[in-house]
């Protein structure tokens, strides 16, 4: 007695039908065994950074920038106040009294503007340049994660680093809601690479250091 399929006498599985006991991969989605990992040129298979580690890295970076900017801002403010107070040393009886006073106020203004410019520059260059050339800020280094290009496995470079940095800043135009959405966007990425909108724009992924 034959128990085979009369339309398939050799007992072979029909083409196009899934086999039993084998998980099927849907197009565009990683298999369950590959979740949390990604294959990158020059690096091979590497583990993706978790959302927790990415959030922790940003928290550390915020503290680092806060300390640096706080110290620099305090020093600059005290210097500007000291220069402005020099106007009190000008003798109103002297012919150059107004010139002396104006010079003191101008020096204080220059210091204040210089410190402000330095704070903006530090905030701009810190993440942009470190991600561009190193692939990691101090916070990311502390937590052992790194940003790399998804097509080379190397640091993003100056262009990719800028694109990745500017997108969250542009999101800040919407009262900060856009920035929050950009940073949360890896949570609902269905590519299996946990790429945020800024990652997709810059062609980067965030991984654990190999």
């Amino acid at each position: 007695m034959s128990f085979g399929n009369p339309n398939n006498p050799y007992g072979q599985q029909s083409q196009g039908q899934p086999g039993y006991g084998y998980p099927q991969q849907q197009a565009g989605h990683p298999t369950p065994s590959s979740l949390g990992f990604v294959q990158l040129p020059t690096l091979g298979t590497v583990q993706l950074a978790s959302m927790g580690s990415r959030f922790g890295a940003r928290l550390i970076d915020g503290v680092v920038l806060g300390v640096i900017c706080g110290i620099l801002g305090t020093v600059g403010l005290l210097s500007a106040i000291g220069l402005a107070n020099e106007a009190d040393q000008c003798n109103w009886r002297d012919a150059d009294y107004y010139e002396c006073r104006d010079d003191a106020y101008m020096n204080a203004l220059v210091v204040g503007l210089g410190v402000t410019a330095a704070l903006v520059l530090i905030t701009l260059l810190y993440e942009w340049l470190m991600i561009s050339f190193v692939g990691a800020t101090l916070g990311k280094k502390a937590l052992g994660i790194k940003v790399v290009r998804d097509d080379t496995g190397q640091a993003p470079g100056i262009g990719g680093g800028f694109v990745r940095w500017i997108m969250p800043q542009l999101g800040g135009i919407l009262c900060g809601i856009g920035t929050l959405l950009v940073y949360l966007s890896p949570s609902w990425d269905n590519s299996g690479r946990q790429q945020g909108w800024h990652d997709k724009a810059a062609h980067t992924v965030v991984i654990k250091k190999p």
Side-chain angles (χ1 to χ4, degrees):
M1 180 180 295
S2 175
F3 295 95
N5 186 337
N7 296 324
N8 190 2
Y10 298 101
Q12 296 178 349
Q13 180 182 337
S14 299
Q15 185 175 3
Q17 295 181 354
Y20 297 103
Y22 295 94
Q24 299 303 303
Q25 179 178 357
Q26 298 179 1
H29 295 275
T31 60
S33 60
S34 68
L35 291 176
F37 292 84
V38 65
Q39 188 84 18
L40 295 176
T42 72
L43 295 179
T45 301
V46 291
Q47 187 174 1
L48 294 167
S50 67
M51 286 297 292
S53 60
R54 293 174 70 159
F55 173 77
R58 292 206 171 274
L59 187 61
I60 293 173
D61 288 332
V63 172
V64 170
L65 281 174
V67 170
I68 294 174
C69 292
I71 293 174
L72 182 59
T74 300
V75 172
L77 178 62
L78 293 177
S79 298
I81 292 174
L83 290 171
N85 287 338
E86 288 184 2
D88 296 335
Q89 307 301 319
C90 298
N91 191 336
W92 63 272
R93 296 186 180 88
D94 294 340
D96 62 348
Y97 167 72
Y98 291 105
E99 181 180 354
C100 175
R101 185 191 63 179
D102 291 344
D103 286 344
Y105 290 148
M106 181 58 68
N107 290 337
L109 179 61
V110 169
V111 169
L113 292 177
V115 171
T116 301
L119 293 176
V120 172
L121 196 61
I122 290 172
T123 304
L124 166 64
L125 298 182
Y126 173 75
E127 181 167 353
W128 175 19
L129 295 186
M130 291 198 72
I131 292 296
S132 296
F133 297 113
V134 183
T137 57
L138 295 178
K140 287 179 171 59
K141 283 179 172 292
L143 295 183
I145 62 178
K146 186 176 183 180
V147 180
V148 297
R149 286 190 61 90
D150 58 12
D151 55 353
T152 65
Q154 303 301 313
I158 195 75
F162 179 77
V163 170
R164 194 176 188 278
W165 174 83
I166 196 63
M167 282 197 65
Q169 313 310 316
L170 294 176
I173 296 174
L174 301 175
C175 301
I177 297 176
T179 301
L180 180 62
L181 289 176
V182 170
Y183 287 146
L184 290 178
S185 58
S187 301
W188 54 77
D189 176 37
N190 61 2
S191 70
R193 293 188 167 199
Q194 296 179 10
Q195 289 177 298
W197 298 336
H198 53 325
D199 288 313
K200 290 181 183 294
H203 301 287
T204 58
V205 290
V206 186
I207 62 172
K208 284 192 173 183
K209 288 184 181 178

